[in-house]
Amino acid sequence: MIIYPAIDLRRGRCVRLVQGDPQAETVVCDDPVGTARHWVGLGAEWLHVVNLDGAFGDQAAANHNIEALRAILSAVEVPIQLGGGLRDLADIETMLSLGVTRVILGTAAVTNPELVPEALARFGAERITLAIDARDGLVATHGWQQVTDVSAIDLALQMKTLGVKRIIYTDIARDGTLSGVNASACADLADESGLAVIASGGVASLEDVRRVKAVETSGVEGLIIGKALYADQVDLAQALGVAGS
């Protein structure tokens, strides 16, 4: 199982939000590059980076995050998966050309579903990941600010027919709350869809890492950890040890 330390960028700084609320922001670091180097130095083999301003549609602020991303890519050699504000093939191609290994499509997969097969055909399934962010089982879009009437499993199955191989599932109600990861929902989604799932949202302790590791056989292949790392509630080296056991 892969552990993905999260670096959420807003106005060029590392921040954490609670349940995706832009008004519930905590700045955790003004040095994204130093943060990336820190996690890699502790053994991280991947990084999960989110351009929050891109997700919220603030292009001017999003450009600051792109500069931070460039600096991170120059500073570390591990692969990076990136999400936030990717709306078309040009956005995807730009990020991949910068050196991002895998891009994450969220809102665009719902509002512009034809983008998904086009992106898969052009870049390949290993470079395109679908983010399913759900509140009470229903998909949320536009930086989690709009809840649709589409269920998480229905979207997963729809995307599978288009050729998607991997999804990131976030329980928004738990994200940034340190209330525990929804490992059972991730396992159910993996079982029902047959897709590889990366769990996200709510990690509070090393026990959450163990819980996700326990459902690895269902198809849950990874875990994103954000606030728990920055709050020193999860030690990354220990989490990597559990994931690799």
Side-chain angles (χ1 to χ4, degrees), residues 166-181:
R166 177 179 291 104
I167 59 177
I168 297 171
Y169 179 75
T170 302
D171 185 334
I172 297 171
R174 299 184 183 224
D175 190 74
T177 65
L178 300 174
S179 59
V181 69

Side-chain angles (χ1 to χ4, degrees), residues 5 7 22 40 53-54 56 61 63 150 225:
I7 300 177
V40 172
D53 295 300
F56 295 142
N63 289 336
V150 180
I225 309 179

Side-chain angles (χ1 to χ4, degrees), residues 79-175:
I80 290 174
Q81 64 179 18
L82 173 80
L86 302 176
R87 301 288 190 253
D88 54 35
L89 288 176
D91 289 340
I92 296 170
E93 186 164 27
T94 297
M95 293 302 102
L96 294 177
S97 67
L98 289 179
V100 170
T101 299
R102 182 191 295 160
V103 298
I104 305 163
L105 299 180
T107 296
V110 178
T111 62
N112 183 21
E114 62 270 22
L115 173 63
V116 177
E118 292 174 352
L120 291 169
R122 185 163 176 178
F123 305 110
E126 287 305 313
R127 308 207 73 182
I128 306 296
T129 296
L130 176 71
I132 297 184
D133 308 317
R135 191 185 299 276
D136 298 324
L138 297 177
V139 175
T141 63
H142 298 84
W144 300 356
Q145 302 308 297
Q146 299 179 25
V147 178
T148 71
D149 58 0
V150 180
S151 75
I153 183 59
D154 284 347
L155 180 59
L157 291 171
Q158 176 189 353
M159 292 299 109
K160 182 182 180 181
T161 65
L162 298 178
V164 169
K165 302 297 184 185
R166 177 179 291 104
I167 59 177
I168 297 171
Y169 179 75
T170 302
D171 185 334
I172 297 171
R174 299 184 183 224
D175 190 74

Side-chain angles (χ1 to χ4, degrees), residues 16-32:
R16 298 306 304 163
L17 305 182
V18 176
Q19 298 181 348
D21 184 355
Q23 303 304 315
E25 173 189 291
T26 300
V27 177
V28 295
C29 181
D30 288 323
D31 182 12

Side-chain angles (χ1 to χ4, degrees), residues 27-81:
V27 177
V28 295
C29 181
D30 288 323
D31 182 12
V33 171
T35 301
R37 284 177 170 152
H38 176 67
W39 298 137
V40 172
L42 290 175
E45 297 179 345
W46 276 82
L47 294 175
H48 174 82
V49 179
V50 178
N51 183 342
L52 288 173
D53 295 300
F56 295 142
D58 186 343
Q59 191 55 53
N63 289 336
H64 290 292
N65 299 334
I66 298 303
E67 292 308 308
L69 172 66
R70 289 179 186 270
I72 291 171
L73 287 163
S74 296
V76 300
E77 295 183 356
V78 301
I80 290 174
Q81 64 179 18

